[in-house]
Amino acid sequence: NGFMDGKELQNFIQELQQARKKAGLDLTPEMKAFVDQYGKATDGKIGIVELAQILPTEENFLLFFRCQQLKSSEDFMQTWRKYDSDHSGFIDSEELKSFLKDLLQKANKQIEDSKLTEYTEIMLRMFDANNDGKLELTELARLLPVQENFLIKFQGVKMCAKEFNKAFEMYDQDGNGYIDENELDALLKDLCEKNKKELDITNLATYKKSIMALSDGGKLYRAELALILCAEEN
């Protein structure tokens, strides 16, 4: 679901402490602060970006990507649209490499091509949940801080292809093949009403802004909206 909480987090902390001890190493100050904060709390949750802050600086390449482009889910969606240039719904290794290179440059980090290739491979190992050599939107979104990862909320409301196509056609009221901001507003309001446990209607403006970042000049086509609302089918 994009973060660790409860028992998952407790198990992680236990294994981290055991691994450091087995290696003859003490916890670093950052790790100790992390353990103190989350060690006894059963209601805490943490995403990979927050967790990466306990790594030593020289190993902490994940935080390089906390540059200006990834300050919000809206920025992330715009970045995704730029690098998923063929609108395939995923970023392959070459697109990912370009994505990382651009982010590193924006963070004023200059690295050799061999290191960039290494980072690309690490990212694929970390985020490619189904091991297909490419990253889907929800996989790469794990780079976002937990509180910004609105896609987590939509995991529980995804529709099968048949339901999604029916919904798209219902809200594409003028039948022009895309949904505009007003049509998306109506769709999201209905989704929030039907899925009050997962979606909070008070966050409607944020959801809409982030999703519209995938649009083409205010036109949100079926393929882009499907990334958010359509479940994969085997």
Side-chain angles (χ1 to χ4, degrees):
N1 60 8
F3 58 84
M4 289 190 293
D5 62 355
K7 193 66 178 172
E8 294 170 332
L9 190 50
Q10 300 305 306
N11 289 342
F12 176 86
I13 289 170
Q14 186 178 18
E15 191 164 332
L16 171 67
Q17 292 172 311
Q18 289 172 349
R20 295 292 289 186
K21 188 175 180 180
K22 190 174 180 181
L25 299 169
D26 293 326
L27 295 179
T28 65
E30 292 83 4
M31 290 175 184
K32 190 173 187 311
F34 163 72
V35 171
D36 290 344
Q37 182 177 354
Y38 293 99
K40 294 177 182 176
T42 55
D43 58 348
K45 65 180 180 182
I46 193 166
I48 196 162
V49 175
E50 290 84 1
L51 192 59
Q53 295 180 61
I54 72 171
L55 284 169
T57 304
E58 66 276 8
E59 295 178 17
N60 203 348
F61 86 96
L62 269 182
L63 292 192
F64 290 169
F65 309 122
R66 290 292 303 277
C67 67
Q68 291 184 357
Q69 273 198 313
L70 289 184
K71 277 186 175 176
S72 71
S73 56
E74 183 186 0
D75 293 336
F76 171 79
M77 300 295 264
Q78 288 172 343
T79 304
W80 169 272
R81 180 164 177 77
K82 177 181 176 182
Y83 287 95
D84 181 20
S85 53
D86 54 3
H87 305 286
S88 60
F90 59 83
I91 289 179
D92 62 28
S93 59
E94 283 305 308
E95 289 169 327
L96 176 61
K97 192 173 181 180
S98 298
F99 172 83
L100 297 182
K101 185 177 182 179
D102 193 13
L103 290 185
L104 287 166
Q105 286 175 344
K106 289 179 185 295
N108 295 316
K109 301 286 184 183
Q110 300 298 323
I111 62 169
E112 296 175 359
D113 192 64
S114 59
K115 199 70 177 173
L116 184 62
T117 299
E118 181 188 333
Y119 283 170
T120 303
E121 290 171 356
I122 291 172
M123 288 282 285
L124 280 170
R125 285 203 303 272
M126 290 175 69
F127 295 115
D128 182 14
N130 56 4
N131 297 311
D132 61 358
K134 53 197 179 188
L135 295 182
E136 296 162 16
L137 181 67
T138 49
E139 290 173 332
L140 195 60
R142 288 161 61 193
L143 271 177
L144 285 167
V146 169
Q147 66 273 20
E148 277 293 337
N149 194 346
F150 84 103
L151 289 166
I152 292 171
K153 299 281 186 186
F154 282 82
Q155 287 293 89
V157 303
K158 285 192 171 185
M159 305 171 237
C160 71
K162 187 177 180 180
E163 289 174 317
F164 170 76
N165 287 327
K166 187 177 178 181
F168 187 89
E169 284 152 18
M170 181 189 302
Y171 290 95
D172 176 20
Q173 294 171 353
D174 48 14
N176 55 12
Y178 61 83
I179 284 179
D180 62 27
E181 195 166 342
N182 291 330
E183 290 167 332
L184 179 63
D185 190 71
L187 188 158
L188 290 177
K189 277 180 181 173
D190 284 352
L191 270 181
C192 287
E193 283 300 314
K194 290 175 185 174
N195 300 277
K196 290 181 180 178
K197 286 186 179 179
E198 286 91 355
L199 303 178
D200 184 354
I201 200 160
T202 60
N203 290 327
L204 185 67
T206 304
Y207 298 153
K208 186 167 68 172
K209 202 173 178 184
S210 297
I211 295 171
M212 284 306 294
L214 286 173
S215 70
D216 182 4
K219 299 175 180 178
L220 186 65
Y221 289 95
R222 191 185 301 249
E224 274 65 46
L225 187 58
L227 294 174
I228 312 295
L229 293 180
C230 189
E232 282 189 37
E233 295 180 323
N234 296 324

